[in-house]
Amino acid sequence: MADEPTHEPSASDITFAEYYHPARPRSLRHRPRVRSAIRRHSVSQDGPADGANPGYVSWLVNQSMLGHADELARQFSGQGSMWQNSFANPSPRQAVETASVWFTAYPISLITAPGTSFLGALGDEGLWEAFEKIGIEAVHTGPVKRAGGITGWQPTPSVDGHFDRISNEIDPAFGTEDEFRRMCATATWYGGTVIDDIVPGHTGKGADFRLAELGHSHYPGIYHMIEIEERDWADLPDVPPGRDSVNLDAVTEEILEKRGYIVGRLQRVIFYREGVKETNWSVTGPVTGVDGVTRRWVYLHYFKDGQPSINWLDPTFAGVRMVIGDALHSLADLGSGALRLDANGFLGVEKSAEGAPGWSEGHPTSEAANHIIASMVRKVGGFTFQELNLTIDDIRVTSEAGADLSYDFVNRPAYHHALATADTEFLRLTLRTSLELGVDPASLVHALQNHDELTYELVHWTAGHADDLFSFRGEEITGGELADTIRRDLVDHVADVPYNLIFTTNGIACTTATVIAATLGVADLDSLSAADVDRIRRAHLLLVMFNAFQPGVFALSGWDLCGMLTLPPSEVSELLSSGDTRWISRAAHDLMGADPSATQSSSGMPRGRSLYGTLPEQLEDETSFVRQMQAILAVRKRSGVATARQVDIPDGSHRGMLVLVHEADARYLVTVLNFSDEDVDGTVRSEHLPPGSTVTDLFSDETVTTVDELNSFRVELWPFRATAFVVQPPPVEESADSTDA
């Protein structure tokens, strides 16, 4: 009998798809490659919660991420499986080929059927059937592992939406490890991929941090934490009752810097709030360690005080071991195919020259750390993406050896600005700048709304190129002035309504639907008419086209799929009390109509207002947002634009017009978008379009015109509409000499 045909690897390197889904079989094939080493046994919670109680210390070690990581890593050492995959170089197009359309979930905001967990809902076959119909190929779960902190013997809640991880265990609020594995199996059956999270920048104040405070073993090496000599305690602020730390003011920060304890002030204070977070450093109260010595520690936290930063260059490499262990657990035990790297741009810090801020952003240690993480993930057959809100230069450098894909923080505020002002000039500038600086759009995750605010820090212009000159609105202005102008425009057009709120100095808390509503002049969401909803849907689909018809990944959330509005601040007043206004944009939503009577998610997030309805309802309606997006994604897949090469962002003949030119398979894909609320009769012109080329509408497959001698063709667009064409160059005529030959 002839041998059965087998799947042969690529002639070059084995791809992620070949490794993780050989020949993409429709079978529930995931089996853990390692035995989970999370220690399930408990220690009796007896006695005081301090370093003098061995039972307490042992209990903390049982809970710790570092302890789990060390046990898990030993199962990989010495195994041939660690050498079967290429890992040194990022492979963005291979990652895009694995999954080019993502659904980004947010665990605490998904409404599920009664008795069904978040992970149970994400593993539901009905949901994946809907995703397959729509064209969604991957699910990013968001953070689902235990987060928050530990005070004494008791857990404390998350301070940042579960991005303050304290354990490798799945949080029971979201499901179980078995449900995670079943979700991965269901995704595999439908040809999909599950993307999990790791947080290499910080943890919460869990067992690892408490053991660090106690001076136990290698645990202090996990963090940027410095023991302050008792003789200098007089200069430290007192910790109020009920707190375990207090933020340093700028004066104390400078004193400790001059005494050689810390690097001092950094390039910026993220989440700055007077009297709450004025610096990136906090100090603990007195803590008696396992050795009987009482210490006070100052520790670094780029974000909130409950998120102590991880030290990637401590001699123990304890932080490195902990993060890598978390990654291996998600990939090899739980079954995810990729990981998001959260807060991975802040992995190095160094003292600068006298009077200058400490060097923290764009630090080489961050580049090295990202290379290590991403290489390890590739080594075990996965890929990574990063949310790196730094300069375009930093994105280019990290993409050379780090994560396979980067979140598109550069163009997102720009396309919102284009919509708000009906002018694409700044959007054209961001797109061109990215190309000029060597950032391939195919290496980016082009997203609509995620769990965060509409970021308008515009770091490339405010930090890296603040003094460089840029041409904008007919004059030369500095990068800093340009950023100020764009932020002012966004505030005037998007935040000057009661339903969108400013979030510190970072951006605006809103949903995609409420960005559009504000730009359309809607003053009150309660007064939305059917015509308003139709206009919002049309503008929303325009943003889908912009993001989907670029090389790279297109990502959207449940808030986008359902057309969610922001929550009234009164419904989340307790969550807003800390100054974090982003909670208004995280309304609970019911994708599948699992529980129509629910007023909140199982995590307690209030149910928001949906403009578009559930996925089953929309899939039955040809005019719905989802059905129209389905058509867009089908054409996107057929055209090959996701892995094409962006070659030109030409000027448009109308201020609201944007033209994108991509090259794929010896032909050109041209996307034309109208960001204005008026009809456009314009001209597409690019030197890349050969005269005589045929222009075919990608949606109707009709040949509509021919490229003229000026490398151009005419196009008409209604308000907030977009279309795409394939431009096929004419055949090359053979010369007379070649014919004679």
Side-chain angles (χ1 to χ4, degrees):
M1 186 175 68
D3 292 338
E4 292 183 2
T6 58
H7 173 66
E8 294 294 329
S10 303
S12 56
D13 296 333
I14 295 175
T15 69
F16 305 128
E18 288 167 333
Y19 181 84
Y20 194 69
H21 297 302
R24 310 292 289 189
R26 277 184 175 258
S27 62
L28 303 183
R29 62 180 303 276
H30 173 67
R31 295 185 302 273
R33 287 185 277 161
V34 295
R35 177 182 57 82
S36 178
I38 296 178
R39 284 153 290 186
R40 306 294 183 181
H41 62 278
S42 62
V43 175
S44 178
Q45 299 181 13
D46 293 328
D50 58 36
N53 181 359
Y56 179 63
V57 175
S58 178
W59 179 77
L60 288 175
V61 171
N62 284 335
Q63 309 292 317
S64 71
M65 297 173 68
L66 178 58
H68 179 217
D70 286 344
E71 290 190 15
L72 188 64
R74 286 194 287 271
Q75 299 184 60
F76 286 88
S77 299
Q79 301 299 310
S81 61
M82 292 299 293
W83 300 102
Q84 303 307 308
N85 296 295
S86 301
F87 61 86
N89 299 313
S91 302
R93 279 180 168 77
Q94 288 182 342
V96 171
E97 287 170 357
T98 300
S100 70
V101 181
W102 300 356
F103 168 73
T104 57
Y106 193 61
I108 65 176
S109 294
L110 184 66
I111 294 174
T112 63
T116 302
S117 71
F118 167 75
L119 292 176
L122 280 192
D124 177 67
E125 288 193 26
L127 177 64
W128 278 94
E129 286 176 4
F131 282 166
E132 187 177 46
K133 290 177 183 177
I134 296 167
I136 294 171
E137 302 164 335
V139 164
H140 172 216
T141 63
V144 294
K145 294 183 178 180
R146 288 186 183 271
I150 293 174
T151 297
W153 297 98
Q154 301 302 316
T156 56
S158 170
V159 299
D160 189 27
H162 271 69
F163 286 100
D164 45 349
R165 179 168 297 173
I166 62 171
S167 172
N168 291 347
E169 289 188 87
I170 299 295
D171 191 318
F174 303 135
T176 66
E177 288 193 358
D178 285 341
E179 286 181 317
F180 196 110
R181 295 186 186 99
R182 283 197 293 271
M183 171 183 63
C184 293
T186 304
T188 301
W189 178 263
Y190 286 93
T193 300
V194 171
I195 304 169
D196 195 10
D197 282 77
I198 61 170
V199 188
H202 54 256
T203 69
K205 287 185 175 179
D208 296 273
F209 184 75
R210 298 308 177 198
L211 287 164
E213 286 183 314
L214 296 175
H216 180 66
S217 184
H218 292 174
Y219 286 86
I222 295 175
Y223 302 101
H224 291 282
M225 57 191 307
I226 302 95
E227 180 184 349
I228 307 300
E229 297 291 336
E230 189 170 358
R231 65 174 179 269
D232 293 322
W233 287 8
D235 293 312
L236 300 175
D238 293 329
V239 177
R243 299 275 303 279
D244 61 5
S245 66
V246 65
N247 193 244
L248 300 182
D249 60 25
V251 173
T252 308
E253 177 186 56
E254 184 177 3
I255 290 172
L256 294 180
E257 176 195 2
K258 290 181 176 178
R259 289 183 181 165
Y261 286 115
I262 62 177
V263 301
R265 67 187 177 96
L266 302 183
Q267 289 155 284
R268 57 177 169 150
V269 180
I270 300 173
F271 297 169
Y272 176 88
R273 189 180 176 201
E274 187 175 356
V276 176
K277 189 190 177 191
E278 299 183 0
T279 72
N280 294 298
W281 301 92
S282 286
V283 60
T284 71
V287 181
T288 301
V290 294
D291 55 3
V293 176
T294 300
R295 300 175 176 88
R296 294 192 73 183
W297 305 87
V298 167
Y299 67 94
L300 174 69
H301 54 96
Y302 287 106
F303 300 97
K304 298 179 180 181
D305 65 352
Q307 297 168 290
S309 295
I310 295 172
N311 186 351
W312 277 79
L313 207 55
D314 183 83
T316 66
F317 289 94
V320 182
R321 288 151 47 201
M322 181 184 70
V323 171
I324 295 300
D326 190 10
L328 293 175
H329 175 246
S330 288
L331 293 162
D333 186 1
L334 297 181
S336 59
L339 295 174
R340 185 187 77 141
L341 311 182
D342 182 67
N344 68 316
F346 307 95
L347 306 185
V349 61
E350 181 177 341
K351 188 174 178 61
S352 296
E354 186 74 24
W359 183 12
S360 57
E361 298 183 19
H363 195 280
T365 299
S366 281
E367 299 165 22
N370 280 289
H371 190 188
I372 289 171
I373 300 168
S375 293
M376 181 60 73
V377 172
R378 287 189 285 267
K379 239 188 169 190
V380 295
F383 67 86
T384 55
F385 84 99
Q386 61 186 1
E387 290 197 4
L388 193 68
N389 187 22
L390 297 179
T391 67
I392 298 172
D393 314 81
D394 291 323
I395 294 172
R396 183 196 69 244
V397 169
T398 57
S399 68
E400 292 171 357
D404 300 283
L405 301 165
S406 295
Y407 203 82
D408 188 357
F409 277 116
V410 177
N411 294 309
R412 191 170 68 165
Y415 72 69
H416 282 122
H417 183 266
L419 188 68
T421 62
D423 190 336
T424 63
E425 183 178 6
F426 181 61
L427 180 54
R428 281 180 275 121
L429 175 61
T430 62
L431 289 162
R432 289 169 178 170
T433 303
S434 294
L435 275 181
E436 291 165 4
L437 294 180
V439 173
D440 183 356
S443 70
L444 299 178
V445 177
H446 310 285
L448 294 174
Q449 183 188 352
N450 68 358
H451 64 279
D452 275 328
E453 74 286 353
L454 192 177
T455 301
Y456 63 19
E457 293 165 293
L458 304 172
V459 179
H460 182 79
W461 287 271
T462 59
H465 300 269
D467 298 321
D468 294 353
L469 291 177
F470 297 88
S471 178
F472 187 68
R473 292 178 178 169
E475 59 180 346
E476 295 289 310
I477 61 175
T478 67
E481 292 169 336
L482 174 62
D484 287 342
T485 299
I486 301 303
R487 281 195 295 262
R488 188 166 52 249
D489 287 345
L490 287 171
V491 169
D492 290 346
H493 289 86
V494 177
D496 192 24
V497 288
Y499 49 83
N500 295 331
L501 299 176
I502 299 292
F503 172 60
T504 65
T505 58
N506 292 54
I508 302 168
C510 53
T511 68
T512 305
T514 64
V515 167
I516 298 168
T519 62
L520 293 177
V522 175
D524 180 9
L525 296 180
D526 291 334
S527 64
L528 282 173
S529 65
D532 290 329
V533 173
D534 182 63
R535 294 174 72 208
I536 290 171
R537 181 168 52 245
R538 280 194 284 123
H540 208 156
L541 289 164
L542 172 77
L543 301 186
V544 168
M545 275 288 291
F546 169 74
N547 287 286
F549 270 73
Q550 290 188 76
V553 167
F554 167 56
L556 76 166
S557 64
W559 297 298
D560 289 302
L561 286 172
C562 296
M564 300 303 296
L565 303 180
T566 49
L567 291 166
S570 60
E571 293 190 16
V572 284
S573 56
E574 185 175 346
L575 293 170
L576 300 184
S577 62
S578 66
D580 193 342
T581 57
R582 293 175 297 176
W583 292 106
I584 68 165
S585 58
R586 296 168 175 169
H589 48 278
D590 189 348
L591 279 178
M592 297 298 292
D595 190 357
S597 64
T599 58
Q600 61 182 28
S601 68
S602 60
S603 297
M605 281 302 296
R607 185 180 195 131
R609 179 181 171 190
S610 167
L611 298 183
Y612 307 153
T614 67
L615 295 188
E617 290 170 342
Q618 292 190 65
L619 286 170
E620 292 296 320
D621 179 4
E622 291 187 1
T623 66
S624 70
F625 173 80
V626 160
R627 283 294 299 274
Q628 293 182 71
M629 185 179 70
Q630 178 187 38
I632 291 171
L633 296 181
V635 173
R636 175 185 193 261
K637 186 171 186 176
R638 189 173 73 244
S639 71
V641 69
T643 53
R645 185 170 66 92
Q646 195 168 91
V647 294
D648 196 14
I649 312 294
D651 288 335
S653 55
H654 184 281
R655 67 194 296 265
M657 184 174 167
L658 180 73
V659 179
L660 307 172
V661 181
H662 304 101
E663 184 178 17
D665 300 327
R667 61 201 178 109
Y668 295 95
L669 305 172
V670 179
T671 307
V672 189
L673 306 103
N674 178 11
F675 280 83
S676 72
D677 198 8
E678 58 189 44
D679 293 337
V680 166
D681 185 349
T683 300
V684 172
R685 184 179 185 280
S686 172
E687 296 297 327
H688 290 270
L689 305 180
S693 299
T694 57
V695 181
T696 303
D697 188 304
L698 275 170
F699 287 86
S700 67
D701 289 328
E702 295 179 0
T703 299
V704 292
T705 189
T706 302
V707 177
D708 62 25
E709 294 302 316
L710 297 177
N711 310 93
S712 64
F713 63 91
R714 180 169 164 267
V715 65
E716 295 182 9
L717 286 175
W718 293 346
F720 300 133
R721 296 298 172 94
T723 191
F725 306 94
V726 58
V727 177
Q728 185 67 54
V732 177
E733 295 182 6
E734 295 184 357
S735 66
D737 291 340
S738 64
T739 303
D740 293 341

